[in-house]
Amino acid sequence: SQQGEEDPQALSIQEGENATMNCSYKTSINNLQWYRQNSGRGLVHLILIRSNEREKHSGRLRVTLDTSKKSSSLLITASRAADTASYFCATDNQAGTALIFGKGTTLSVSS
Amino acid sequence: DGGITQSPKYLFRKEGQNVTLSCEQNLNHDAMYWYRQDPGQGLRLIYYSQIVNDFQKGDIAEGYSVSREKKESFPLTVTSAQKNPTAFYLCATTSRAGARGTEAFFGQGTRLTVV
């Protein structure tokens, strides 16, 4: 069962531009996480936002959460070629025993 | 050097053969997970274990089996019953049982190909 659904599926931008990707989910959540995956590698945790938070920052990353719309967005400011990767949102399964991931957004940043 | 080690990095399986993917962690984490990743499908949960000697099926457990005899190890066997096993397999851990509010750490993956 796929809880989160990222949008867009793919995004191509130039270095220095901002990249925004969105995640929609179906059921109520306690928190939402974003991960990054470089091609052919494992995922790396970026940021976690709790259901009682509306916005969170970490370096060039800004995450927002709108529980009324069941959606979250990840903004990467001043993108670099090294940001080229796939980005996934993840939420708990209903039992709270495992993370369920969306299909991801593939970001390509060209110099 | 703490982390999660998956081996092998590449694995080739013949039709009708069982193969076992290794996942070892030295993070002292309680919970371990196996995910399968296909192009355009994201990650799908195969099995997970919250404590030693206990594990639960995920969304796509058919054709797979696991064991959790030691805290550090959570091997995944892809059996001949799995008809389409070609995929990228990822092992992950969380520090405590239950994923709620905890960061997951991932291994570097095993790419399995049927030949």
Side-chain angles (χ1 to χ4, degrees):
Chain A
S1 55
Q2 215 93 41
Q3 164 74 307
E5 197 74 28
E6 289 89 345
D7 170 63
Q9 289 187 2
L11 180 60
S12 293
I13 60 173
Q14 299 284 324
E15 261 191 332
E17 294 180 340
N18 294 344
T20 299
M21 50 206 88
N22 305 295
C23 170
S24 58
Y25 56 91
K26 299 172 185 173
T27 61
S28 62
I29 59 170
N30 291 289
N31 61 79
L32 185 142
Q33 304 185 39
W34 284 91
Y35 287 78
R36 165 195 168 123
Q37 183 184 33
N38 284 36
S39 181
R41 307 294 295 272
L43 278 71
V44 175
H45 180 262
L46 294 175
I47 197 164
L48 180 152
I49 186 165
R50 303 192 186 281
S51 59
N52 61 354
E53 297 175 308
R54 291 296 168 258
E55 188 170 312
K56 200 163 182 180
H57 295 255
S58 177
R60 294 185 295 112
L61 305 181
R62 173 180 167 245
V63 169
T64 61
L65 180 64
D66 187 335
T67 53
S68 67
K69 295 181 180 179
K70 291 187 170 60
S71 68
S72 173
S73 68
L74 170 67
L75 168 68
I76 304 173
T77 60
S79 296
R80 306 165 182 168
D83 294 326
T84 294
S86 293
Y87 293 82
F88 296 87
C89 65
T91 59
D92 300 338
N93 62 0
Q94 288 195 329
T97 52
L99 283 174
I100 303 298
F101 290 80
K103 294 184 179 182
T105 292
T106 299
L107 173 65
S108 177
V109 182
S110 54
S111 54
Chain B
D1 191 21
I4 303 166
T5 302
Q6 288 188 241
S7 62
K9 189 172 181 180
Y10 299 96
L11 185 58
F12 297 90
R13 191 194 96 165
K14 295 180 181 178
E15 295 282 350
Q17 194 178 46
N18 291 358
V19 291
T20 298
L21 284 61
S22 171
C23 179
E24 302 279 332
Q25 56 110 350
N26 60 5
L27 300 171
N28 199 34
H29 284 181
D30 287 329
M32 299 186 74
Y33 311 83
W34 275 105
Y35 291 92
R36 169 180 171 143
Q37 186 175 29
D38 296 279
Q41 293 292 322
L43 277 68
R44 292 184 288 170
L45 182 64
I46 305 172
Y47 268 100
Y48 60 99
S49 168
Q50 297 188 64
I51 55 172
V52 175
N53 292 322
D54 185 55
F55 48 83
Q56 289 79 39
K57 293 181 179 179
D59 297 320
I60 56 165
E62 186 174 350
Y64 299 97
S65 66
V66 293
S67 62
R68 186 87 187 276
E69 298 176 0
K70 300 186 298 181
K71 188 175 185 178
E72 305 79 31
S73 179
F74 190 41
L76 173 74
T77 296
V78 184
T79 74
S80 56
Q82 172 49 242
K83 297 307 178 189
N84 185 23
T86 294
F88 189 51
Y89 291 86
L90 287 161
C91 176
T93 69
T94 54
S95 59
R96 62 174 185 264
R100 188 157 288 163
T102 59
E103 171 187 350
F105 293 79
F106 281 81
Q108 292 304 298
T110 292
R111 189 165 298 278
L112 174 62
T113 304
V114 174
V115 295

